[in-house]
Amino acid sequence: MRAHPAGPLHGAFAPPPSAGMPPADLGALDEQVWPRSARRVDGELHLGGKPVTELARTHGTPLFVLDEGDFRGRAADFATAFDGADVHYASKAFLCGQVARWIADDGLHLDACSGNELAVALAAGFPAERIALHGNNKSLVELQLAVDAGIGHVVVDSFDEIDRLVPMALARMEAGGSPVSVLIRTTVGIEAHTHEFIATAHEDQKFGFSLATGDALTAAVRVIREPALHLAGLHSHIGSQIFDTAGFEAAAHRVVGLLGQVHQATGEVLEELNLGGGFGIAYLPDDDPVTPHDVAERLRTVVAAECAALDLPVPRLAVEPGRAIAGPGTVTLYEIGTIKPVRLGSGGQGAPQVRNYVSVDGGMSDNIRTALYDASYTCVLANRTSDAPPALCRVVGKHCESGDVLVRDLWLPSDVQPGDLLAVAATGAYCWSMASNYNYLLKPPVVAVRDGAATEIVRRQTLLDVFALDAVLAGRPAPSPAIDQPAPEHPVGARS
Ligand SMILES: Cc1ncc(COP(=O)(O)O)c(C=O)c1O
């Protein structure tokens, strides 16, 4: 049985640390894991040419620091690798006005999976025709927004949704508009995560139309017969943080099979095949993700072979990377507040094992992934390097929750102290976008760094922002001293 995520003290034994052996250099920045611009300058971490102490002083902590060159470089890598295909940035990973503009300017497409993600993209001026809208329960309002804005595709996910969409599409056509372009989201019966995939499982979930039951074919035929809808193609998405291409290949095989069935049943040759997102990234130095170039080559080869076998023309490919574009280029900076050594037990040879609980000024409200998915992260002491021997640590947040863990097991220099800055790597995807106000902590700002300049692209939430939602507190001043301002340096601080 799994121990309580906070630690094993409730049990009678001390499990071996899952941190592995301490690395030779505790301050090393593995290039797979850290943003492309990350450097140590006189021991201090610099991102986009900016020292982290300056960023923390100016913007406070916790702070998301986004390396613009890394983010846009990875988007460009996908665009180049998938030349001739459509690369949709999956905006659920991280979206704000500035990111929408970068993606628009760099020529990519964008995936929204709610009406509000769509609204953010449109408000930032993102070209509607390059947006696809996902969602298993799109409301009438969300669908109407998509239809009125003239987005590229609605990725339909249920028969109810088709029923809702048809009258809107008819009204648009009656007003002189074009049919609404649609992809059918299919459930291909494949689940892939990280190192493995299961090709017989995962029908039992909420997304898409099942291939196995014939619902996907029924939906496709239904859409084709609706004059106000245009069936542009098929979509499948098989999971996230995938490290090899076998699952995509199996999915491509199945979904191209459906292209063939649709052709047989209706004579229609569909023009697009969207194989979704899920390309993995390195959170830890040992992680070994595939490159966009290799994924693109494999997918092209497999789709071409499957189409040739069915005597079908090769459709235009589309993919939806989110994490692989947004994830690696962002780092979260935290300030250490307290350090608590906790004895774990004898550790086998009689020597007491100790784990330092290093508490920082954020936590599960700005990164829920460790608590939610048991995700693995790494972090370094950021404001300086140290020659002190390694100490087994667990980096935890300040929430009233023992599962509030950011980095479960790692080695940090044993002289880390309150006031030091920690940088957690690869937090660009599904961290800010999943942030909450648990314990009334405030959502951190996002600062984009590039060539020695820093721009706050999302400001820190204030207590007054939160008060404004409260029937009793709206309009009231926050108590003094204001606790939503960047913290003054900790008195014990070791920031250089
Ligand atoms: C339909 C769809 N496309 C793309 C993505 C993006 O996945 P990732 O960020 O892992 O690339 C997701 C993630 O859940 C998704 O559901």
Side-chain angles (χ1 to χ4, degrees):
M1 198 207 279
R2 188 165 171 257
H4 189 281
L9 253 192
H10 310 287
F13 68 100
S18 57
M21 293 302 288
D25 176 2
L26 292 177
L29 304 170
D30 186 284
E31 66 176 26
Q32 286 250 84
V33 174
W34 291 89
R36 289 173 178 175
S37 72
R39 308 267 180 286
R40 292 264 183 199
V41 180
D42 297 330
E44 179 175 356
L45 176 63
H46 284 223
L47 297 162
K50 277 284 192 198
V52 288
T53 51
E54 185 189 323
L55 292 168
R57 230 181 352 260
T58 310
H59 303 280
T61 52
L63 175 66
F64 287 98
V65 185
L66 185 162
D67 176 347
E68 179 187 340
D70 186 296
F71 185 105
R72 299 180 82 168
R74 288 176 201 275
D77 292 347
F78 269 97
T80 307
F82 281 91
D83 188 28
D86 292 343
V87 178
H88 293 242
Y89 169 60
S91 69
K92 71 197 79 175
F94 172 59
L95 181 65
C96 65
Q98 185 62 71
V99 159
R101 287 198 176 155
W102 289 336
I103 293 292
D105 291 348
D106 296 347
L108 277 75
H109 294 231
L110 184 134
D111 244 22
C113 67
S114 74
N116 287 352
E117 283 184 0
L118 174 58
V120 169
L122 292 173
F126 201 96
E129 65 280 7
R130 281 197 263 146
I131 303 179
L133 180 65
H134 279 277
N136 63 301
N137 183 18
K138 303 179 193 77
S139 70
L140 286 172
V141 173
E142 290 175 312
L143 288 170
Q144 194 66 60
L145 175 63
V147 170
D148 291 349
I151 69 165
H153 298 310
V154 176
V155 187
V156 296
D157 196 286
S158 67
F159 291 110
D160 288 333
E161 185 182 337
I162 298 175
D163 292 342
R164 281 176 206 156
L165 194 54
V166 166
M168 295 177 194
L170 276 172
R172 182 163 101 175
M173 283 193 67
E174 279 160 16
S178 53
V180 171
S181 187
V182 156
L183 300 182
I184 298 283
R185 176 147 179 180
T186 63
T187 310
V188 291
I190 285 164
E191 184 186 19
H193 290 288
T194 304
H195 297 289
E196 56 188 5
F197 78 93
I198 307 165
T200 53
H202 227 52
E203 286 293 332
D204 188 7
Q205 47 109 344
K206 69 176 183 173
F207 293 110
F209 294 95
S210 165
L211 248 83
T213 63
D215 279 357
L217 178 60
T218 307
V221 171
R222 162 106 202 267
V223 168
I224 285 168
R225 296 202 171 130
E226 290 289 351
L229 300 180
H230 166 66
L231 183 60
L234 305 177
H235 178 283
S236 92
H237 171 80
I238 55 169
S240 220
Q241 186 57 0
I242 300 167
F243 277 13
D244 64 47
T245 52
F248 290 111
E249 291 167 21
H253 169 74
R254 291 187 181 182
V255 86
V256 171
L258 180 60
L259 285 179
Q261 289 173 19
V262 171
H263 182 238
Q264 252 188 355
T266 66
E268 290 288 323
V269 176
L270 304 185
E271 71 236 32
E272 177 164 334
L273 183 59
N274 186 325
L275 292 173
F279 313 109
I281 65 167
Y283 284 99
L284 302 176
D286 285 348
D287 290 340
D288 189 19
V290 267
T291 64
H293 176 266
D294 288 350
V295 178
E297 279 221 334
R298 281 306 305 148
L299 293 189
R300 278 206 187 93
T301 308
V302 168
V303 171
E306 297 293 337
C307 289
L310 293 175
D311 204 16
L312 285 174
V314 177
R316 195 175 66 253
L317 267 186
V319 285
E320 300 173 334
R323 181 194 319 269
I325 291 176
T330 292
V331 157
T332 314
L333 285 183
Y334 300 97
E335 183 175 302
I336 297 174
T338 62
I339 298 175
K340 195 180 289 181
V342 172
R343 274 183 60 153
L344 302 180
S346 78
Q349 268 104 40
Q353 281 197 345
V354 171
R355 193 195 324 264
N356 287 328
Y357 275 77
V358 178
S359 295
V360 297
D361 50 358
M364 63 195 299
S365 56
D366 59 70
N367 186 352
I368 188 69
R369 293 191 64 259
T370 307
L372 188 62
Y373 305 130
D374 210 7
S376 299
Y377 285 92
T378 190
C379 76
V380 292
L381 176 60
N383 51 307
R384 62 187 174 95
T385 45
S386 162
D387 293 333
L392 178 64
C393 294
R394 174 164 292 170
V395 180
V396 295
K398 61 180 283 160
H399 289 278
C400 190
E401 195 81 36
S402 50
D404 174 26
V405 174
L406 289 167
V407 186
R408 195 168 298 290
D409 292 302
L410 87 161
W411 301 94
L412 287 172
S414 50
D415 65 348
V416 288
Q417 55 184 303
D420 272 331
L421 294 177
L422 287 186
V424 178
T427 57
Y430 307 107
C431 289
W432 189 92
S433 61
M434 287 185 163
S436 75
N437 286 126
Y438 183 45
N439 297 145
Y440 278 107
L441 264 65
L442 303 167
K443 292 186 190 170
V446 183
V447 168
V449 289
R450 174 162 211 156
D451 301 331
T455 313
E456 197 165 83
I457 58 173
V458 182
R459 77 155 164 80
R460 185 179 298 281
Q461 198 180 31
T462 67
L463 203 48
L464 290 184
D465 292 334
V466 178
F467 277 16
L469 303 173
D470 186 298
V472 171
L473 305 178
R476 298 219 174 191
S480 184
I483 53 174
D484 55 3
Q485 298 304 311
E489 284 198 34
H490 197 281
V492 204
R495 288 188 198 173
S496 48

